[in-house]
Amino acid sequence: GESVGLHLPTLSVQEGDNSIINCAYSNSASDYFIWYKQESGKGPQFIIDIRSNMDKRQGQRVTVLLNKTVKHLSLQIAATQPGDSAVYFCAEKGSSNTGKLIFGQGTTLQVKP
Amino acid sequence: EAGVAQSPRYKIIEKRQSVAFWCNPISGHATLYWYQQILGQGPKLLIQFQNNGVVDDSQLPKDRFSAERLKGVDSTLKIQPAKLEDSAVYLCASSLGNANEKLFFGSGTQLSVL
C-alpha cells in the first residue's frame, strides 16, 4: 500500500544553522510531492512542492531534494529562524488522478536561540 | 484573498452525541477535502468533493460520518453518534481542481469527545 514516512520525529537545531528534514515514500509511481509546515493550532501551510521529473527545487530559504532511486525526499531550510519552529509534513500524491495527498507522520523542528 | 474558513474552532461533546462542522473554501476552488488529524499524526483524508459530487470517500466511516456540499461551495461534516476515538482536529482544505495537488487548509475544528 501507499505510505509516507519521516526518519526522525524531532529535530533540534541552533538558530542560524541549516536544517534538513527527511522523508521516505513507498509508492514509486508517485509523481508529485509537497512539504507543509504546521504551527500549533493552525492548519498545514504550503512550503514547497516538486514533481517527479525534477530532482531539486528551490524557494526562499528552502530547497526540496528528490531521490527517486531510493524513494527519498528532503527539505532543507537555510539559516533556520525561531519562526521556523513547527511540525513539518511531507505528502505524496497517490497514483490516482484525484489529487489525493497522503501525509507522513511529521517531524517537529525545534529552533534553539 | 480570504483563506479556507472553518467553524467552530473548538467543540467538546460527550460520546454518542452528534456534532457538525462547517467549511467555506477559497472562492473559485472546485475541490474540497475533509481531513482528520489525530494528535501526533499526519492528516488523513476522509472525503473529497469535486463541486457537489463525491470523488473519494473510501476512508469515511459511513456508519457515523456524513458530509455534503449541496451547492458546490460550503460543506458540512457530521458525526452521529460520536465515539471517543473521534477526538481529533478536522481540517478542511480546497484546491482549484480535481488534479490540482496544492491544497490550502483551514485552521481546523478541534473536537474532544468525552
Side-chain angles (χ1 to χ4, degrees):
Chain A
E2 298 171 337
S3 66
V4 181
L6 291 163
H7 290 307
L8 292 174
T10 303
L11 175 65
S12 184
V13 301
Q14 204 71 35
E15 180 179 358
D17 287 352
N18 296 333
S19 302
I20 300 176
I21 301 172
N22 295 305
C23 179
Y25 64 95
S26 61
N27 186 355
S28 56
S30 293
D31 60 2
Y32 177 80
F33 304 88
I34 190 167
W35 282 98
Y36 281 92
K37 171 187 178 183
Q38 188 172 27
E39 297 173 283
S40 180
K42 297 184 179 180
Q45 178 186 6
F46 170 84
I47 301 175
I48 192 168
D49 57 1
I50 189 168
R51 297 197 178 277
S52 59
N53 61 352
M54 303 172 68
D55 53 20
K56 180 180 181 179
R57 192 165 187 220
Q58 290 184 292
Q60 187 177 11
R61 282 202 306 119
V62 295
T63 300
V64 56
L65 299 177
L66 176 62
N67 186 330
K68 294 181 287 294
T69 301
V70 294
K71 291 186 284 188
H72 182 268
L73 191 69
S74 69
L75 176 70
Q76 300 178 358
I77 304 173
T80 312
Q81 302 169 0
D84 295 326
S85 295
V87 179
Y88 288 80
F89 292 97
C90 63
E92 81 183 293
K93 177 175 175 289
S95 53
S96 70
N97 293 321
T98 63
K100 172 181 174 179
L101 288 180
I102 300 169
F103 284 80
Q105 296 299 305
T107 291
T108 300
L109 177 64
Q110 298 175 339
V111 182
K112 296 176 288 187
Chain B
E1 179 183 274
V4 177
Q6 289 189 247
S7 67
R9 189 74 179 86
Y10 304 94
K11 191 72 178 179
I12 301 174
I13 61 173
E14 294 185 348
K15 60 183 180 182
R16 291 188 289 274
Q17 286 187 324
S18 62
V19 63
F21 313 125
W22 174 82
C23 173
N24 182 240
I26 293 173
S27 178
H29 280 197
T31 309
L32 184 147
Y33 310 78
W34 283 103
Y35 279 81
Q36 179 192 58
Q37 186 175 24
I38 293 173
L39 185 64
Q41 298 183 17
K44 184 188 82 172
L45 180 69
L46 292 175
I47 189 167
Q48 176 182 346
F49 292 94
Q50 174 72 8
N51 297 310
N52 61 349
V54 175
V55 174
D56 185 345
D57 63 356
S58 58
Q59 298 196 76
L60 186 74
K62 299 180 186 61
D63 57 335
R64 298 183 300 106
F65 285 65
S66 64
E68 59 183 16
R69 193 185 184 200
L70 294 176
K71 296 183 179 179
V73 180
D74 294 7
S75 177
T76 55
L77 175 69
K78 297 179 181 178
I79 307 175
Q80 182 180 13
K83 293 185 175 181
L84 296 177
E85 58 262 36
D86 298 332
S87 294
V89 175
Y90 290 85
L91 294 163
C92 180
S94 68
S95 66
L96 279 172
N98 210 22
N100 188 291
E101 300 91 345
K102 187 186 291 187
L103 273 58
F104 296 85
F105 284 85
S107 295
T109 296
Q110 185 172 330
L111 173 67
S112 297
V113 182
L114 307 178

